[in-house]
Amino acid sequence: MLEVVTLGHPALRRRAEPVAEVTPELRRLADEMLAVMKQHEGVGLAATQVNRMVRLFVTRAPDDRERVFINPEIIRTGIETEWREEGCLSIPGPRADVQRPAHLRVQARNRRGRLFALEVEGMLARVILHELDHLNGILFIDHLSDAERERVCREYAEGHAEASAGDADRDAG
Ligand code: NI
């Protein structure tokens, strides 16, 4: 089983490389990532979080099916932004409100390598932006004020020390 790396691991700060071809091996990685995401009850998981430097992430937003995004690109974002609470499987425990575009159009290849485009809003838009950040070595804490980032890192460190996972990962990506 793939292991989700956590805050401090260098993989989380690296930029993933574009996928040249959707091979059976890549499909297997996507399937394993879907399984790991479900196991952690997460809403999204990026390849960099399992130490694979390819532009691939998977999502499982509430009221949405499982999705695979390969070489994802944001084609357009709306002007409107919204604040939503985020968590991250690589920073299990703490959550914080992050401001991001509310609407966007994303293009990617699916698990079969077919190009698709989607207009999204709400939780799925939020998850896509969070996961795309991961592929560029960016974490949700990078969007926070210094005070909020310190709070999240402190809570993470404390929770980590207690090693009480519980359902703290729920709805994280
Ligand atoms: Ni995350």
Side-chain angles (χ1 to χ4, degrees), residues 96-159:
D97 287 331
V98 180
Q99 186 180 27
R100 298 187 192 262
H103 305 264
L104 60 92
R105 183 173 176 81
V106 61
Q107 179 183 289
R109 291 192 182 275
N110 66 15
R111 192 183 169 284
R112 287 175 299 167
R114 296 230 177 96
L115 201 60
F116 68 93
L118 272 183
E119 294 280 344
V120 293
E121 59 180 15
M123 252 316 257
L124 182 56
R126 177 52 55 114
V127 174
I128 287 170
L129 291 168
H130 178 115
E131 303 311 328
L132 190 61
D133 266 358
H134 272 303
L135 299 184
N136 295 324
I138 298 167
L139 302 174
F140 85 97
I141 55 173
D142 300 340
H143 296 284
L144 305 178
S145 67
D146 290 349
E148 265 290 84
R149 185 164 50 250
E150 280 165 26
R151 181 202 41 98
V152 165
C153 291
R154 189 176 57 244
E155 285 183 19
Y156 165 68
E158 288 167 3

Side-chain angles (χ1 to χ4, degrees), residues 41-100:
E41 298 187 61
V43 291
L45 183 68
T48 50
Q49 292 182 274
V50 291
N51 202 8
R52 301 292 197 280
M53 296 303 129
V54 289
R55 299 190 80 75
L56 157 66
F57 64 73
V58 295
T59 66
R60 179 174 163 271
D63 303 318
D64 189 41
R65 62 179 176 82
E66 293 177 356
R67 296 179 186 274
V68 174
F69 295 80
I70 297 165
N71 291 346
E73 280 182 53
I74 304 296
I75 304 302
R76 185 174 56 72
T77 53
I79 296 164
E80 192 190 330
T81 62
E82 66 185 7
W83 290 87
R84 272 178 190 267
E85 196 179 57
E86 295 186 26
C88 183
L89 293 178
S90 293
I91 313 173
R95 307 175 64 81
D97 287 331
V98 180
Q99 186 180 27
R100 298 187 192 262

